[in-house]
Amino acid sequence: MVIHPPILYVGYVSFAIPFAIAASALITGHLSENWFRFVRRWTIFSWFFLGTGILLGSKWAYEELGWGGYWAWDPVENASLMPWLLSTAFLHSMIIQERRGMLKFWNMLLIILAFHFCLLGTWITRSGVLEGPHSFSKSTIGTPFIIYIGISFLFFLGFLIYRRNSLKPEHNLDAMTSKEGSFLFNNFLLVIATLAILLGVFSPLLYGREFKAPWFNSWGVPAGILLILLMGAAPLLAWRKGADKIFFSTLLKPLLVGIAGAGMYILFYTKNFTISEYSLGDVLGEIYSVIAVGLGIFTTAGIVQEYHRGIIARKTAYPNENYFFPDLGCF
């Protein structure tokens, strides 16, 4: 698994490119509609490599290092996860900026945070301040580097506040249950998760004891379930309109399929489950699994529904086009 470190490294280092583009726009004041398009392209590149590196590292930890699982909430693992979560939030909120001219200030803040969390991840990995099974050798650069990270973040945060009038939204949020509202909730959830991970990473320094995997899982699993819900609901929601306006036309069928799938899962997988034989944690685990499966099926059904609706609309406009492969013509 020698490919894992260089791929992760590319993900870390390449975040300097979208940050440099955003920082130059921020410093010069040229905050036109073009800067975020370049930033988004490079952020996708960095996000992909960082995510791939995390997945390869998880596989490596499970199959070759024998750590007992794919994810142990180790400080170095968390160091790579935090900028990935922030960049995920950024990529979603950029859609709102492009479509509705909203969240400009927030998006600039996210890209600043994502880059500095990459730097923080490097510091966590090399400083030796935080110990763990993933720790590397200590370096004398730890103190100067963390000071530099703090000064750099405050510098660009100050510029962001200075340019705040140039980053005002063009529209306001019309409905919390609209597509914009779901993306905004997605952003808050990802950022709060990042801050919670940061708290857990620095728990030995803040509280004198390390927060172990059960602490992370206690909030991470519910947060993950909410993210699955948003993954399924957000593409089905309409811009500017609340969910009540399009519930029966868009949301109802995938929701019913998800409920049916959860019911089948209960009958098939948990048929021998009795509460008296398990602890509270086991019961919660079973409940979480049922909800996650149901929401996963709901998300899949929503994707299929949207794909089918797109095909129908395309067929209406171009009746002679092939159903699945438009470029091949009609068989």
Side-chain angles (χ1 to χ4, degrees):
M1 195 63 68
V2 294
I3 196 174
H4 156 62
I7 287 182
L8 199 63
Y9 179 77
V10 170
Y12 268 127
V13 173
S14 59
F15 261 112
I17 300 175
F19 171 73
I21 298 171
S24 63
L26 188 64
I27 293 173
T28 60
H30 296 158
L31 296 166
S32 65
E33 292 300 314
N34 294 321
W35 73 268
F36 69 83
R37 291 188 174 91
F38 292 105
V39 170
R40 184 176 61 183
R41 292 169 189 168
W42 279 105
T43 303
I44 291 173
F45 177 87
S46 305
W47 175 88
F48 172 79
F49 275 92
L50 189 58
T52 302
I54 292 171
L55 289 175
L56 290 175
S58 299
K59 185 175 183 293
W60 189 16
Y62 183 76
E63 294 186 354
E64 299 188 29
L65 299 182
W67 285 0
Y70 289 102
W71 195 261
W73 296 105
D74 173 79
V76 175
E77 291 176 328
N78 292 333
S80 62
L81 180 62
M82 289 187 287
W84 186 85
L85 291 175
L86 290 172
S87 59
T88 302
F90 172 77
L91 290 173
H92 284 78
S93 60
M94 284 301 295
I95 299 174
I96 302 178
Q97 179 172 341
E98 184 176 11
R99 291 291 299 268
R100 301 273 290 139
M102 301 165 60
L103 303 181
K104 296 179 181 180
F105 184 94
W106 175 252
N107 286 331
M108 187 65 79
L109 177 61
L110 282 178
I111 199 64
I112 292 173
L113 283 171
F115 173 72
H116 285 88
F117 266 82
C118 286
L119 297 181
L120 182 65
T122 305
W123 179 82
I124 291 172
T125 303
R126 303 301 304 182
S127 67
V129 173
L130 299 169
E131 298 293 336
H134 220 138
S135 298
F136 293 85
S137 59
K138 295 183 179 180
S139 172
T140 57
I141 201 174
T143 301
F145 191 34
I146 194 64
I147 293 174
Y148 164 77
I149 294 172
I151 293 174
S152 174
F153 175 72
L154 292 175
F155 174 80
F156 287 103
L157 181 62
F159 250 109
L160 178 61
I161 295 172
Y162 176 71
R163 299 291 188 191
R164 65 187 183 278
N165 291 330
S166 301
L167 295 168
K168 289 183 177 179
E170 299 173 14
H171 301 92
N172 294 321
L173 184 64
D174 296 304
M176 282 301 300
T177 54
S178 63
K179 193 183 293 288
E180 301 97 305
S182 67
F183 277 32
L184 188 61
F185 185 54
N186 158 284
N187 267 230
F188 287 156
L189 192 60
L190 289 170
V191 171
I192 290 172
T194 302
L195 295 177
I197 293 172
L198 184 66
L199 176 65
V201 167
F202 284 96
S203 59
L205 303 180
L206 296 174
Y207 301 100
R209 62 184 181 88
E210 181 182 0
F211 291 175
K212 299 292 186 179
W215 181 85
F216 288 97
N217 293 334
S218 65
W219 59 263
V221 173
I225 289 175
L226 285 175
L227 285 173
I228 297 174
L229 172 62
L230 290 171
M231 285 173 59
L236 303 178
L237 296 174
W239 295 101
R240 304 182 63 181
K241 297 179 182 178
D244 57 312
K245 307 291 185 183
I246 48 92
F247 179 79
F248 288 101
S249 62
T250 306
L251 290 170
L252 182 59
K253 290 180 181 178
L255 185 61
L256 292 176
V257 172
I259 293 173
M264 293 295 294
Y265 175 77
I266 292 173
L267 293 175
F268 176 75
Y269 182 75
T270 62
K271 58 184 179 181
N272 297 322
F273 179 80
T274 56
I275 294 179
S276 60
E277 298 176 359
Y278 292 87
S279 65
L280 177 61
D282 293 327
V283 174
L284 286 176
E286 291 290 336
I287 294 173
Y288 286 151
S289 68
V290 171
I291 296 174
V293 168
L295 290 177
I297 295 173
F298 161 70
T299 300
T300 304
I303 293 172
V304 172
Q305 174 183 276
E306 289 303 289
Y307 184 75
H308 179 261
R309 291 175 65 181
I311 290 176
I312 296 301
R314 182 83 181 185
K315 288 290 290 183
T316 302
Y318 305 96
N320 295 324
E321 197 171 62
N322 180 266
Y323 196 71
F324 290 101
F325 304 100
D327 293 336
L328 298 181
C330 183
F331 290 147

